[in-house]
Every structure is written in structure tokens, then in C-alpha cells.
Amino acid sequence: MNPTQNVRHWRAIGMLVLATAFWGLSFPTVKALALVHAAIQPGSGNWFTASATVGPRFVIGTVVLLIIHLLFLRGSARRRTTPAEWRQGLLLGLFAAGGMILQNDGLQFTAASTSAFLTQLTAILIPLYVAFRMRKNPGWRVWFCCALVITGVAILGQFDWRELRLGRGEFETLLGAFFFAGQILTLDRPEFAGNRVMRITLVMFATEAVIYSIMAFATAPNLSALAAPWASPAFIMLTLLLVVFCTFGAFFLMNAWQPKITATEAGLVYCFEPIFGTLLALFLPGLFSAAFGINYANETFTWTLLTGGAFITAANILLQLKPPVKS
């Protein structure tokens, strides 16, 4: 790897770590938003709450990107969406929406630590897929780093093996991990290398907006339930926070920078997400409670944060001592 490639490689790693920080922000923010929504619409079902709180992020994101495209883009950036961009954007939207839907519903039927552990199995699924596709063992370093990451996530989430059973929650969460792995691998496919980031992100957001909108209309107790949350300043402010950082910020960084490293590296880097989620949950819930009048307590600092974070960080450093070659 020449110096220019090395700089670009580390820049990509840094940008993806920043993306995981934005996703970490989404955990306490989405929970606070769900509490606000529950106060506005008590008794709403799980599916309606999920679609009504997550969906607006992608509806707003789609509208904003369309406005940017129509008013500000010029030249080659204005060219029509190519078939490859349509295909990649649709796949990204389907995989992301499927993963989030399954993860959100599964969380209602299993422990949070179990959900976190099973979701991060994505880090194992990717090298397994790559090894199967290339008919080549990725080597002991990759497998050892995967084991370190899974151990770190298990410690971070205080995972209890005695609670692991393959019920509805566990099955949905595990299936969601396959969807998230599909999202990561879609960005790694060489036939999509020339696609424009803004265009595939627009198609991705639009796909998710359609899916969540259909879910919201299908599960809403009545039409007024769809409009009621938008009279709440708390709902609007939390939604905008998710749009700016956890939607635009995170997915633009992912779509722009992940193709510059291998899918195996990306899968391990994304395991920083629960670290940031846990750190932010130490103080954000209290701030949200004071600002929006909800009852959401801060989490407490424990040894598991340091130990689990150390395992995940060590795995990524070890892998970067001799990173996989991007084909």
C-alpha cells in the first residue's frame, strides 16, 4: 500500500468510526422519541411506534436530497440515475429497512444485551461469506479479530448465555444481522464502484421512506394518529436530531467511505457502535428528560464499558497491522 493509499485507508477508517458514533447517538435518541410518542399515542402497537418514529427520518431525508438535486447540483451530478445506481440504492434500502424492522421488533421480545450480541454477529457473517465466495480462508488474524469483537460486545452488553434461546426475538434479531451484512456487502460489490454517493443515498432513503410509510398507514389505529406527533415540539426536535446526524451523517459517511476498505474491515469497525451508544446513554437520557418532560434515566458507568471497548478496539488495531487487501 503506497503512502497515498495508506492515508486514504486511514481516513476511511476514521470516517466510518465517526459514522458509528452517529449510530450510537441513535440509541438513546430513538428511545427518547419512542417515549415521547408513547405519551402522545398511548397504547400504540410496536409496529406502528417503530414505523412512526423511524420512518420520518427517511421521508425528510428523501425530500431534502431531492431539493438539493433540483436546486444546487449541476453538470455530471445532474445526470439521470443509472441502472446500477438504482439497483444498488434499492438493495441498500431494502437491506437497511429489513434489518431495522427486524431488530426493533425483536427487541420487544428479548433482552437488550442479547439483541446487541446477535446483531454484531454481522462481523462474523461477512468474512464467512467472503471466504465462501473466494474459496479462500481469510486467515487466523481475521478470525481472531472477529472473536475479540464478539467477546467485547458480549462483555459490553453483559450478555448472559443462560438467557439465550431461539424465540421470536432472538430469531428476528439474528435474521436482522443477515440483512445488515447484506447492506455492508452491497457497498463492497465491484460493479457498483462508479456509482455516485448522493444518487444511491437518495434511492436508498426513498426506498426506506416508502417501506416505513406503508407500515405506518397499515398499522395506524386511525389517520389522526399519523399527524398527532407533529404537534409536539419534542417529537419534531428529536426527529430532526436523528435526520441530521443518524441519517444524513451516518449513511453518507457509510456510502462514501466504506467502499474504500474491505467489507471484513468495515464489519469490525461498525462494532464500535455499541461503545458510543453506551457512552452517550450515560448522560443523554437525563438531558432529554429535562428538556422534553419524559422519564428516561441515565445509565451507569461500569467495568464492562472499559473491558468490552478494549476488546473491540484491540481487534481493530490488530487487523490494521496487516489489513486485508481491497480487491
Side-chain angles (χ1 to χ4, degrees):
M1 187 181 296
N2 62 47
T4 301
Q5 290 175 319
N6 190 51
V7 169
R8 187 179 66 174
H9 182 89
W10 280 105
R11 185 175 296 152
I13 295 291
M15 291 297 102
L16 293 180
V17 171
L18 180 58
T20 67
F22 290 153
W23 282 322
L25 172 64
S26 72
F27 282 97
T29 307
V30 166
K31 185 163 184 177
L33 186 63
L35 291 171
V36 169
H37 187 270
I40 298 168
Q41 295 286 339
S44 297
N46 293 336
W47 290 110
F48 176 62
T49 298
S51 58
T53 54
V54 179
R57 296 165 52 184
F58 298 100
V59 174
I60 295 172
T62 301
V63 172
V64 171
L65 284 183
L66 280 172
I67 292 172
I68 292 172
H69 171 72
L70 293 173
L71 298 182
F72 301 106
L73 298 186
R74 297 289 183 269
S76 61
R78 288 288 304 267
R79 289 201 309 262
R80 289 186 177 183
T81 305
T82 66
E85 289 167 343
W86 276 110
R87 190 161 59 252
Q88 187 181 26
L90 284 168
L91 285 173
L92 289 172
L94 290 171
F95 280 129
M100 283 191 282
I101 290 169
L102 289 165
Q103 184 186 55
N104 276 285
D105 191 66
L107 194 55
Q108 310 302 316
F109 302 97
T110 189
S113 61
T114 302
S115 176
F117 180 81
L118 293 177
T119 298
Q120 299 308 322
L121 287 179
T122 300
I124 300 294
L125 295 174
I126 291 171
L128 280 174
Y129 172 82
V130 172
F132 176 79
R133 186 187 65 187
M134 298 183 66
R135 304 291 196 275
K136 182 182 178 181
N137 189 333
W140 70 268
R141 186 189 301 268
V142 170
W143 295 122
F144 183 66
C145 289
C146 289
L148 281 178
V149 161
I150 295 301
T151 302
V153 172
I155 294 171
L156 188 66
Q158 302 181 56
F159 178 73
D160 188 349
W161 284 101
R162 292 170 297 182
E163 292 185 8
L164 182 59
R165 56 182 180 80
L166 198 61
R168 172 177 172 176
E170 292 76 20
F171 178 77
E172 287 185 332
T173 307
L174 187 57
L175 186 57
F178 280 87
F179 276 82
F180 290 134
Q183 182 183 359
I184 294 170
L185 290 167
T186 297
L187 285 169
D188 194 56
R189 289 170 61 171
E191 66 265 34
F192 297 141
N195 288 352
R196 291 164 293 177
V197 174
M198 182 167 286
R199 197 55 59 87
I200 65 169
T201 305
L202 172 58
V203 177
M204 174 187 177
F205 283 3
T207 302
E208 294 185 76
V210 169
I211 291 172
Y212 282 115
S213 295
I214 292 172
M215 278 186 60
F217 277 98
T219 58
N222 49 65
L223 290 179
S224 64
L226 295 169
W230 295 101
S232 165
F235 186 89
I236 294 172
M237 291 176 67
L238 288 168
T239 298
L240 291 178
L241 183 63
L242 288 169
V243 168
V244 173
F245 293 101
C246 311
T247 307
F248 277 114
F251 286 111
F252 263 106
L253 288 171
M254 180 183 188
N255 292 347
W257 290 98
Q258 192 208 294
K260 295 174 173 53
I261 64 174
T262 65
T264 297
E265 289 176 286
L268 293 176
V269 169
Y270 292 148
C271 290
F272 279 110
E273 179 185 355
I275 297 178
F276 288 113
T278 303
L279 282 170
L280 291 168
L282 296 176
F283 63 92
L284 275 184
L287 294 177
F288 287 152
S289 296
F292 304 127
I294 56 177
N295 184 19
Y296 182 15
N298 290 331
E299 296 187 12
T300 56
F301 187 86
T302 65
W303 67 271
T304 58
L305 177 59
L306 285 176
T307 308
F311 272 87
I312 295 171
T313 304
N316 279 277
I317 292 173
L318 178 60
L319 187 67
Q320 291 309 317
L321 295 177
K322 189 178 179 181
V325 178
K326 177 75 173 175
S327 59

